[in-house]
Amino acid sequence: MSDPDLKTRLDHLIRPQQVHRDVYTSPEIYRLEMKHLFPNCWVYIGHDSQTPNKGDYITAQIGDQPLIMVRHNDDEIHVLYNRCPHKGTKIVIDRAGNTGKFFRCPYHAWSFKTNGCLLAIPLKKGYENTGLEDTEAAHGMAPVGAMKNYRGFVFARLAPEGIGFDEFFGDSLSSLDNMVDRSPVGRLNVAGAPLRFMHNCNWKMLVENQTDTCHPMVAHESSAGTAVKIWEEMDKPEGTPTPPAMEIIAPFMSPYEFFENMGIRTWPNGHGHTGVHHSIHSDYSAVPGYVEAMNEAYGPERAQQILGENRHNTVYFPNIMIKGPIQQLRNFIALGPDKTLVESWIFRLEGAPEELTARTAMYNRMINAPTSMVGHDDLEMYERAQEGLMADGLEWVNIQRLYEEDEDFTKEAVLNGTTERQMRNQFDAWKRFMLGGAA
Amino acid sequence: MNRDEVIDFVYDEAWMLDEGRFHEWLDLWLPEAVYWMPLNWNQQDPLTETSLLYEDNFMLRLRIERLHGARTFSQKPKSRCNHVLNRPRIVELTEDSARVKTQMHYVETRLDEQQLLALTVTHDLKATPDGIRIAGKRVDLLNCDAAFRSIQLLP
């Protein structure tokens, strides 16, 4: 599967401490990502609470491939290509819906079971003795190479052969586990529609920013710094509790030491997280009734262990980030070398107080919305970078902060929270999965 | 409060935003009033679903202070906006309160980009000794569920 020319080319683009600008700007590299990188990885599709009933579906994509996630009549979830095997028409175009017992192509009414199998063709006689059964059209809507529903989170691999789910994610699943375990019944469901924010920049810039701990106090001084200043200047009575909005925004202005001490953990295959020891989510006020519900469900010791984890951002290579402590997921959907759609989803913890959902919704609109003061400055930085990278004479993007020689990305590591090792870890994985995923 | 006063108020508020008189604009708000811009068509729940905006006085003040900050990078250069209003439709009117709905086209521009949004704005207004004040404002975008680029000022 490995292409020697591609390997030589990638070796020229990815150095241990630097990445060539073409990786972010070249349409050819983007095309190769669509052809190799995304199909060889396990990519997030959606949450099974989005399709609670038989026949419920959502549309999604891996790389540039249009997909449908659907609940079949045996309650199992299937991920199929969103393409009629007859003439190529997309079967559904809405973001979510219910198709009933079968999909019906709107062009010629070929119909398919919700597991993709061909159900019926109008005027079927016309195909007798034409050899239809030997064509791919006869097999119905094609499934993806592999799929896995992990505690409600559905991932798929397009390539028919490749790395298994457990091997791809390994111990990094501890972050997803922690997010789900925060529900007293171990179950999340999607709360409302996602924010959808369009960025004119390469998708990898967004993923890298999730573990970049040297930018918040600089890029977000205008919002978080101003918030802290206004709050301090306000004439408020002694003992006034800090409002949730301040709890959310003020930690963005934490000093470098805070981020250094929080730590970064990297796992094999490009996964990693900030906030090993503490994070910007550590000091949120308790929500009445929640700890009691957790103690009841898990016992005090285990409950304390679950709630004591305050991981900041966990990146699942290639293109999602989750925040366990506030049950949130961001999906960075590449639409072109310089175009990325960011979907920011929030989840409700089943069996827990609704105030937790309210805090998460507040976080989402304050930080991740196209109308958010924080998101505006992030977008500005990415787009300035996308334009700045066109400058000739400088060819490399530097990611060598706290670089050590012979870094071994096949092993878990915990380091100073301002290291750029997680970005290097991602590029190690990027190169391998571009070449088919072989270690 | 009479019809003309209510209608004039809605036009004046839009003018203030277009002229960038944000501090003066903030003075039009009652302290407990909330500015809501839903993410979904006919969204009813502002708290346990995400919205584009759901901001109290503190957050609106932060928004405005930030626009004037020295290190507000996404506002270098600054955005400008322009509201075009249909005649406001008065839904309820009493001596000291009113609910009024107005369809508007909102244009925001910065550098070479310009975006157009179609809005239905619902104002809840109250009469006070200092004049009419905003008790609540809901802005429904026609394409609320679309993928936007940054919307930096106040539709």
Side-chain angles (χ1 to χ4, degrees):
Chain A
M1 192 151 185
S2 184
D3 168 353
D5 290 344
L6 180 58
K7 181 167 188 326
T8 310
R9 179 131 185 237
L10 297 183
D11 283 341
H12 282 110
L13 293 174
I14 309 290
R15 294 176 178 172
Q17 314 98 314
Q18 301 188 92
V19 179
H20 194 271
R21 64 167 176 176
D22 285 359
V23 169
Y24 301 90
T25 59
S26 154
E28 174 66 6
I29 292 291
Y30 179 78
R31 194 186 63 78
L32 291 167
E33 286 178 335
M34 296 299 119
K35 192 173 162 200
H36 299 294
L37 178 77
F38 284 96
N40 285 319
C41 291
W42 283 88
V43 179
Y44 180 66
I45 302 292
H47 193 265
D48 70 7
S49 64
Q50 292 171 266
T51 58
N53 305 308
K54 289 166 189 172
D56 283 351
Y57 66 85
I58 60 165
T59 49
Q61 64 187 83
I62 294 179
D64 57 2
Q65 298 298 298
L67 302 172
I68 301 173
M69 174 177 115
V70 57
R71 193 175 288 268
H72 188 48
N73 55 23
D74 60 2
D75 252 343
E76 289 300 307
I77 296 217
H78 291 257
V79 181
L80 310 167
Y81 285 91
N82 187 2
R83 176 217 197 267
C84 180
H86 176 211
K87 294 237 167 119
T89 311
K90 267 183 157 180
I91 299 286
V92 292
I93 60 162
D94 16 3
R95 292 180 198 131
N98 183 290
T99 192
K101 288 190 165 59
F102 58 91
F103 288 114
R104 181 176 182 272
C105 178
Y107 196 3
H108 301 96
W110 285 34
S111 60
F112 311 91
K113 294 182 192 168
T114 44
N115 61 5
C117 294
L118 183 61
L119 184 63
I121 299 176
L123 296 172
K124 196 162 182 201
K125 299 204 283 283
Y127 288 99
E128 278 169 18
N129 305 316
T130 65
L132 177 71
E133 59 281 6
D134 300 329
T135 68
E136 61 179 20
H139 296 121
M141 293 169 67
V144 292
M147 67 143 292
K148 170 88 175 177
N149 180 351
Y150 184 80
R151 305 193 71 182
F153 291 81
V154 177
F155 292 83
R157 189 191 67 220
L158 290 181
E161 313 266 319
I163 190 167
F165 178 86
D166 291 335
E167 191 191 346
F168 184 73
F169 286 114
D171 291 337
S172 73
L173 290 172
S174 55
S175 285
L176 253 179
D177 285 336
N178 181 255
M179 183 156 86
V180 180
D181 290 344
R182 283 168 175 268
S183 152
V185 298
R187 175 87 208 150
L188 307 184
N189 55 62
V190 163
L195 286 161
R196 302 172 72 244
F197 195 175
M198 196 64 86
H199 289 53
N200 289 347
C201 68
N202 189 269
W203 64 277
K204 295 186 290 299
M205 289 180 184
L206 282 143
V207 179
E208 285 164 37
N209 190 60
Q210 306 310 308
T211 59
D212 180 311
T213 55
C214 290
H215 85 280
M217 67 301 283
V218 184
H220 303 309
E221 183 186 329
S222 77
S223 46
T226 306
V228 171
K229 193 171 122 275
I230 296 176
W231 181 247
E232 281 170 358
E233 284 169 5
M234 271 170 77
D235 187 21
K236 48 188 184 294
E238 188 84 15
T240 304
T242 311
M246 276 304 292
E247 288 193 344
I248 286 168
I249 203 165
F252 281 75
M253 277 311 280
S254 302
Y256 287 114
E257 296 72 34
F258 175 88
F259 290 98
E260 285 187 310
N261 295 336
M262 74 156 62
I264 283 182
R265 178 182 279 123
T266 65
W267 292 287
N269 297 323
H271 318 301
H273 81 92
T274 49
V276 179
H277 310 297
H278 60 257
S279 79
I280 64 167
H281 307 299
S282 296
D283 292 331
Y284 294 161
S285 303
V287 168
Y290 178 47
V291 173
E292 292 77 354
M294 288 293 282
N295 286 342
E296 175 105 4
Y298 294 100
E301 196 180 332
R302 175 77 186 122
Q304 175 48 41
Q305 202 180 14
I306 293 165
L307 299 176
E309 279 288 351
N310 273 294
R311 298 183 184 189
H312 181 156
N313 291 346
T314 299
V315 169
Y316 285 115
F317 185 80
N319 68 326
I320 62 165
M321 180 275 274
I322 66 159
K323 281 180 172 295
I326 56 163
Q327 66 291 342
Q328 183 183 71
L329 182 149
R330 305 186 76 203
N331 195 359
F332 306 108
I333 301 168
L335 299 178
D338 55 1
K339 195 169 184 187
T340 306
L341 171 63
V342 186
E343 288 187 346
S344 298
W345 296 86
I346 62 168
F347 297 89
R348 181 177 290 112
L349 298 167
E350 276 187 26
E354 272 295 84
E355 287 96 314
L356 290 160
T357 320
R359 183 168 66 199
T360 298
M362 176 183 276
Y363 187 99
N364 209 24
R365 63 178 184 262
M366 279 177 66
I367 311 298
N368 300 325
T371 36
S372 134
M373 294 171 262
V374 175
H376 290 164
D377 285 316
D378 280 323
L379 177 72
E380 181 72 13
M381 295 308 126
Y382 307 136
E383 294 191 348
R384 287 195 196 189
Q386 194 71 33
E387 291 183 18
L389 286 176
M390 299 316 286
D392 290 332
L394 291 158
E395 290 183 48
W396 296 91
V397 172
N398 189 297
I399 52 167
Q400 78 186 100
R401 189 176 162 73
L402 295 170
Y403 168 75
E404 292 166 30
E405 253 181 73
D406 301 319
E407 286 177 329
D408 181 358
F409 299 114
T410 65
K411 293 195 175 73
E412 181 179 319
V414 175
L415 295 135
N416 177 311
T418 62
T419 182
E420 286 167 343
R421 180 186 160 106
Q422 171 54 18
M423 299 173 204
R424 298 188 288 274
N425 185 34
Q426 283 160 206
F427 277 108
D428 172 74
W430 185 85
K431 203 160 105 177
R432 280 188 294 112
F433 286 98
M434 283 284 264
L435 295 168
Chain B
M1 243 191 281
N2 64 41
R3 294 182 72 84
D4 281 348
E5 285 168 342
V6 167
I7 290 169
D8 284 350
F9 181 90
V10 171
Y11 275 89
D12 289 345
E13 190 223 343
W15 266 108
M16 271 186 201
L17 290 169
D18 293 350
E19 292 181 346
R21 292 185 280 141
F22 294 113
H23 285 104
E24 206 177 320
W25 174 80
L26 197 58
D27 290 339
L28 297 178
W29 287 72
L30 290 172
E32 43 319 311
V34 170
Y35 184 122
W36 185 19
M37 196 191 298
L39 179 61
N40 273 316
W41 195 243
N42 290 328
Q43 185 173 337
Q44 300 301 314
D45 176 359
L47 292 178
T48 61
E49 287 179 30
T50 306
S51 299
L52 287 161
L53 282 178
Y54 187 74
E55 295 193 348
D56 62 9
N57 197 267
F58 176 77
M59 288 298 292
L60 289 174
R61 194 170 145 203
L62 167 57
R63 193 170 275 279
I64 282 156
E65 291 297 328
R66 175 182 170 276
L67 289 175
H68 298 280
R71 290 183 180 153
T72 305
F73 305 113
S74 70
Q75 281 296 293
K76 292 177 182 304
K78 288 188 187 300
S79 302
R80 294 189 295 269
C81 70
N82 183 292
H83 291 77
V84 179
L85 281 64
N86 240 344
R87 187 173 186 273
R89 188 165 68 82
I90 294 177
V91 181
E92 286 168 30
L93 183 64
T94 69
E95 211 165 279
D96 58 2
S97 76
R99 169 169 284 196
V100 52
K101 284 179 181 284
T102 313
Q103 290 185 313
M104 303 187 193
H105 283 183
Y106 172 80
V107 180
E108 187 176 295
T109 188
R110 179 176 173 247
L111 291 165
D112 289 332
E113 278 194 39
Q114 182 165 290
Q115 63 179 325
L116 170 67
L117 298 171
L119 325 169
T120 302
V121 182
T122 307
H123 283 90
D124 283 312
L125 304 175
K126 286 253 180 320
T128 76
D130 301 322
I132 297 175
R133 291 290 178 266
I134 300 171
K137 178 175 173 178
R138 171 175 169 145
V139 176
D140 284 286
L141 304 185
L142 182 65
N143 60 343
C144 53
D145 51 359
F148 294 109
R149 297 188 28 77
S150 290
I151 300 168
Q152 298 210 49
L153 300 181
L154 289 150

